[in-house]
Amino acid sequence: DEIASAPGIPLDLWRRIVESRDPLLIGQGMAGDEGLVEALAPGAREVLAQRLVMHDRVIGALSAARHGEKSFGERDMRRLLQQ
């Protein structure tokens, strides 16, 4: 299958999201994640990203960002996994 990246997101970073079956917690301080955080939510400190799938096809990605001091917690991750 062909993978098309959203505008502004490098293909290798986009591939990381769409190939992950579990939600990704991506942070500015995490090695290699700075580019992905800036591409998904410029200025954010953390991003939760989850691929959107219909049948066996990835149709996009959903992301939520946190700015400032507050971080995503275990409860946020549990909620995301239940969706």
Side-chain angles (χ1 to χ4, degrees), residues 29-48:
M30 298 174 190
D33 288 345
E34 292 85 6
L36 189 50
V37 170
E38 278 303 307
L40 292 172
R45 194 168 61 81
E46 284 185 334
V47 175
L48 265 178

Side-chain angles (χ1 to χ4, degrees), residues 60-78:
L62 174 68
S63 63
R66 290 275 181 163
H67 298 267
E69 296 298 314
K70 197 165 182 182
S71 296
F72 288 107
E74 185 179 321
R75 195 168 122 196
D76 298 312
M77 292 296 289
R78 263 188 276 127

